[in-house]
Amino acid sequence: SSQNLSEEFAEAARQLKKEAPRIQFGKIDVTHQHDLRKEFNIQAFPTVKFFVNGSREDPIDCKGVRKASAFITWVKRRTGPSTVLINSTDQAEAIIKAGDLAVIGFFRELHNDSVEVFCETARDVPEMPFGMTASEDVCANYGVQRNSLIVFKEGKPVHNEVLEDGRQSKLGLTRIIKTFTLDLVTEYNIETSVKIFDVPVENHILLFTPMNSETFNEIYENYQSAAAEFRGKMLFVLVDTNEARNGRIFEYFRVRDIDVPAVRILNLTSEARYKMPADEVTVENLKEFCQSYLNGKAKQHLPSEEIPQDWDKMPVKVLVGKNFNSIIF
């Protein structure tokens, strides 16, 4: 909530005042400052922007940061080096074991396009430490081809991404790395919904099923297998249809009790929805559905009549599937 974020923001300001007094923190209530809201095109709340060198032009958006420690890291990485330079295996181990997640880039040399993209990505992912190395010993110790990035989770390598000059974008790497802040399949609830929308993956696939059904374990294993294959491209979400608090999400996807288990894909940018054509939740059906969607071949699911022309003329507005999300949420 805004209140929580405001408290974390204030805590970051307190801590940075000692370490970096040059960095000033301020907050604005834009309900009273219409000109500022318009000037900086503030659409959502809360919004955090970072102004550099006293300029009002092009402030940097600080998105998806919610904890004081992440604010501090984000600001430090914007004003100083964004990654730690690693010269020894001991140094690498210290970073890998310091927390739950760590990212290390192994490079042939420390001056090329891939290094630049890696350092830019580190600025946008303050939730985890980033290190980079061009040391032959360190690369040999982890048995890594140089010019690749490894995500470590709980001290073990869980993802290896080869970095080819000019091929990966900052957004592409950010997507892949940020998905590791979530489980392979994330159960939808009040706490996780915020995290789900913080990860910049616009394709979400949702499995609607009662978690206490006899077939749940088998279906869930199939879903996890598909999730491992599409990590970074799609976010896999599980919705328990027995949980009454998930009612709004069934309403939005027009999923009824008789439809479950059901699988849907949602594109966050266009709000287009897709229904898995097959009834059985098998690994093959899931993979085929995801692949046909990513190839642009899946058929959109439009469980709605057209929006009536006079839907908002009267005090009670007329809602149909196509305008339900934008009006209600």
Side-chain angles (χ1 to χ4, degrees), residues 76-89:
K76 283 181 174 174
R77 289 184 188 175
R78 290 275 162 195
T79 53
S82 61
T83 59
V84 176
L85 188 57
I86 295 170
N87 295 312
S88 70
T89 303

Side-chain angles (χ1 to χ4, degrees), residues 73 77 82-83 117-126 128 130:
T73 305
R77 289 184 188 175
S82 61
T83 59
V117 171
F118 181 77
C119 291
E120 280 179 17
T121 304
R123 289 195 185 105
D124 280 355
V125 189
M128 55 188 94
F130 275 66

Side-chain angles (χ1 to χ4, degrees), residues 107 109 111-118 164-168:
F107 297 102
E109 38 145 16
H111 304 284
N112 61 28
D113 289 352
S114 298
V115 173
E116 211 168 296
V117 171
F118 181 77
E164 290 176 32
D165 267 8
R167 258 200 56 190
Q168 275 89 354

Side-chain angles (χ1 to χ4, degrees), residues 15-270:
Q15 289 185 37
L16 276 170
K17 196 171 184 179
K18 300 182 196 102
E19 292 179 53
R22 282 176 37 251
I23 297 165
Q24 303 287 319
F25 279 67
K27 64 178 180 178
I28 296 166
D29 181 352
V30 288
T31 49
H32 304 299
Q33 303 286 340
H34 296 295
D35 293 353
L36 289 175
R37 181 175 180 174
K38 197 170 169 195
E39 180 183 349
F40 299 116
N41 189 25
I42 307 298
Q43 307 272 354
F45 304 102
T47 292
V48 178
K49 288 183 182 280
F50 185 51
F51 293 83
V52 185
N53 296 333
S55 165
R56 292 173 88 107
E57 303 296 314
D58 298 325
I60 303 161
D61 275 329
C62 176
K63 287 183 185 148
V65 178
R66 297 182 183 276
K67 292 265 175 274
S69 56
F71 271 122
I72 292 167
T73 305
W74 190 90
V75 169
K76 283 181 174 174
R77 289 184 188 175
R78 290 275 162 195
T79 53
S82 61
T83 59
V84 176
L85 188 57
I86 295 170
N87 295 312
S88 70
T89 303
D90 286 351
Q91 229 185 331
E93 281 298 295
I95 289 174
I96 291 164
K97 294 195 167 134
D100 184 35
L101 287 158
V103 182
I104 297 190
F106 298 85
F107 297 102
R108 279 190 206 94
E109 38 145 16
L110 293 177
H111 304 284
N112 61 28
D113 289 352
S114 298
V115 173
E116 211 168 296
V117 171
F118 181 77
C119 291
E120 280 179 17
T121 304
R123 289 195 185 105
D124 280 355
V125 189
E127 301 93 333
M128 55 188 94
F130 275 66
M132 63 178 184
T133 187
S135 151
E136 279 185 40
D137 291 351
V138 178
C139 294
N141 182 66
Y142 293 101
V144 175
Q145 291 272 317
R146 290 208 266 169
N147 272 26
S148 59
L149 162 164
I150 293 190
V151 180
F152 291 87
K153 193 173 174 88
E154 293 165 2
K156 297 183 185 71
V158 287
H159 182 78
N160 188 336
E161 185 76 18
V162 177
L163 300 171
E164 290 176 32
D165 267 8
R167 258 200 56 190
Q168 275 89 354
S169 66
K170 180 184 76 165
L171 182 60
L173 283 187
T174 305
R175 275 182 185 148
I176 290 163
I177 294 164
K178 276 224 178 195
T179 56
F180 288 93
T181 61
L182 293 171
D183 295 329
L184 193 55
V185 171
T186 305
E187 189 189 336
Y188 181 91
N189 57 39
I190 304 294
E191 288 77 44
T192 61
S193 62
V194 173
K195 292 181 185 173
I196 288 168
F197 290 106
D198 279 346
V199 174
V201 176
E202 64 173 353
N203 306 315
H204 289 194
I205 180 166
L206 300 96
L207 166 63
F208 294 86
T209 186
M211 284 174 67
N212 64 355
S213 76
E214 286 172 19
T215 53
F216 174 72
N217 287 347
E218 189 191 334
I219 287 172
Y220 185 67
E221 271 178 35
N222 293 344
Y223 199 56
Q224 274 196 310
S225 299
E229 200 152 315
F230 291 94
R231 186 156 219 165
K233 296 185 183 129
M234 304 188 83
L235 219 52
F236 278 65
V237 178
L238 167 69
V239 183
D240 183 3
T241 54
N242 277 344
E243 173 54 72
R245 283 174 300 186
N246 290 337
R248 275 167 62 176
I249 198 166
F250 307 144
E251 181 76 24
Y252 176 50
F253 282 95
R254 295 285 195 277
V255 171
R256 299 160 303 167
D257 286 347
I258 56 166
D259 298 329
V260 300
V263 179
R264 301 281 189 274
I265 286 176
L266 170 68
N267 178 294
L268 292 189
T269 308
S270 66

